Amino acid sequence: MTRMVTAPADSPAAPDTRPSRAPTGRGWSRNTVETRVLGVLRWIVIVGLALFTLFPFYYMALLSVRDLSSLLQEPARLWPLLSELTVGTYRDVLTPTESGGQGFVRFMANSALIALGTVAVTLVFAVLGSYALARLRFPGRRRIGVLFLAVYLFPSILLAVPLFVFFTALGLRGSLGPLVLVYVSQTIAVAIYTLRNYFQTVPASIEEAAAVDGATRFTIMRKVTLPLAMPAILSNALFVFMIAWNEFLFALLFLVEDRSRWTVSLGLSQLAGSIEIPTTVLMAGSVILTLPIVILFFATERLLTGGLTAGAEKG
C-alpha cells in the first residue's frame, strides 16, 4: 500500500513557478503598422491600376452600344439606359460593303489568315533554331544568339521601303502571302531568342535519359522537349499573333490598293479617317479589333502560367 503524506496545515504554500502572462492589449509595433499600411496601399494600387486599365475598354464598349442621338445629348454619362442600347453599330460594321456596311467580316478573315500563317511559319523556324542554339555546340553559337536579338532592335520602318520595292518588282504586292513573310521577318528573331532561353532551362538529364533508351534527336525534341516547352511556345504564338493582327504599316503598303484584301487594322483606320462615320461605329470596330486578342489571352492563360518541368524528374 502507498502511504499518502499530507503537509501540515501550518506549513507555507509552495511558490507558483509558472510564468506570468503578459497583458493581452494590442500593441502597435513598427512591423504591425508597416504590414497594415502596405496591405491597404496594395489594394489601393491594384484597384487604381484596374480602373486605369479597364475604364478605356469599358467606355469603348459603352459607346459602341449606345444610340448616337442619346450619346450626343449626354456624352459623359457612364451608365447606359436600356432604352438607348443598340446593336445596329455592330450590324453596320459587319455587313458587307455590297449591302451598305463596312465589310469587317472579310477584314477579320484576312487578318486571321495572315496572323495564323505568321504564327505557323514563325514557330516552325523559331523552335528549330532556338533548340539548335540551346543544345547544339558549334563555333559562334553565342554570337549568333546575340545577333538574333540585335536584328530585332532595328526599327521596322527601315525595312518598309526596300521590301515595298522588292515585292513590287516581283509583282507580289497586293497579295497576302508576301505580307506573311514580312511579318515572319519581324517576329522570328525575338521568338528564337526567347525560346532559346526557355530551352536552356529544360533539364538536359531528361533528354539524356531518352537518348540512353535509343531515341533520336528529333524524337527527343518532339516527344520530350516540346511538351515541356509548351508554355513558352504558346506565349510566343500569342505574341506573334498580336503583332500580325494589329500591324498597320506593312498592311497599308502592301494591301491598300485592293479593299477585298484589307486587314481589320486597315478597315479601322478607314473608319477613323472618315468624317461620315459616327463615333459609335468606330468604337464598334475597335471592339471587334480588340476582342479576339482578349479571348485568346484568357483561353491560354492556364497554359501560359503552367510549370516548366513540374514532376518531370523524380529522384
Side-chain angles (χ1 to χ4, degrees):
M1 295 180 64
T2 303
R3 181 177 295 178
M4 298 181 61
V5 180
T6 59
D10 56 350
S11 62
D16 189 3
T17 58
R18 292 177 298 177
S20 60
R21 294 183 179 180
T24 58
R26 295 183 178 179
W28 287 87
S29 63
R30 179 180 177 181
N31 186 27
T32 304
V33 173
E34 290 180 353
T35 302
R36 293 184 179 182
V37 170
L38 292 178
V40 174
L41 290 178
R42 180 184 64 178
W43 286 107
I44 293 176
V45 171
I46 292 175
V47 173
L49 291 177
L51 291 176
F52 183 78
T53 304
L54 298 178
F55 179 76
F57 294 98
Y58 167 76
Y59 194 64
M60 177 178 66
L62 175 63
L63 293 183
S64 67
V65 295
R66 286 189 64 182
D67 184 71
L68 182 59
S69 59
S70 63
L71 177 63
L72 294 177
Q73 294 175 2
E74 296 180 281
R77 182 154 50 83
L78 300 179
W79 302 104
L81 302 176
L82 294 178
S83 60
E84 67 182 17
L85 296 181
T86 179
V87 294
T89 52
Y90 289 94
R91 189 183 305 111
D92 187 13
V93 169
L94 298 176
T95 301
T97 54
E98 296 81 6
S99 303
Q102 303 300 327
F104 263 58
V105 173
R106 183 63 179 270
F107 300 158
M108 294 177 65
N110 293 336
S111 293
L113 182 62
I114 293 174
L116 293 176
T118 304
V119 169
V121 177
T122 299
L123 289 183
V124 168
F125 288 99
V127 168
L128 296 176
S130 58
Y131 183 83
L133 290 175
R135 288 290 187 261
L136 304 182
R137 299 293 183 266
F138 53 90
R141 181 172 63 94
R142 295 182 179 274
R143 296 183 179 88
I144 292 177
V146 175
L147 286 177
F148 275 116
L149 184 61
V151 170
Y152 188 72
L153 296 178
F154 287 94
S156 59
I157 191 64
L158 296 178
L159 300 175
V161 175
L163 290 175
F164 178 82
V165 175
F166 176 72
F167 284 108
T168 301
L170 295 178
L172 298 176
R173 185 168 56 87
S175 56
L176 303 182
L179 190 59
V180 171
L181 298 179
V182 172
Y183 291 163
V184 169
S185 67
Q186 297 294 311
T187 57
I188 193 171
V190 69
I192 289 178
Y193 184 81
T194 55
L195 286 177
R196 184 204 65 171
N197 296 335
Y198 200 92
F199 281 134
Q200 288 177 343
T201 62
V202 177
S205 58
I206 302 177
E207 298 183 359
E208 294 172 357
V212 171
D213 293 337
T216 62
R217 173 71 69 176
F218 180 76
T219 303
I220 293 173
M221 183 179 67
R222 182 170 58 89
K223 293 186 177 182
V224 178
T225 309
L226 290 185
L228 295 177
M230 195 56 64
I233 294 175
L234 288 176
S235 62
N236 277 272
L238 182 60
F239 171 73
V240 173
F241 187 90
M242 289 173 57
I243 292 179
W245 179 270
N246 296 319
E247 204 280 329
F248 173 75
L249 175 61
F250 290 103
L252 177 65
L253 292 176
F254 282 79
L255 306 176
V256 67
E257 298 176 356
D258 190 354
R259 183 184 174 88
S260 63
R261 298 180 183 273
W262 279 13
T263 60
V264 67
S265 59
L266 283 179
L268 186 63
S269 68
Q270 183 245 350
L271 295 181
S274 177
I275 60 176
E276 300 176 355
I277 302 298
T279 304
T280 54
V281 177
L282 175 61
M283 292 299 103
S286 301
V287 171
I288 292 174
L289 176 65
T290 309
L291 193 59
I293 302 298
V294 176
I295 294 176
L296 281 177
F297 177 80
F298 283 104
T300 59
E301 181 183 7
R302 180 174 299 179
L303 294 175
L304 292 177
T305 58
L308 174 59
T309 56
E313 288 187 315
K314 296 182 179 179

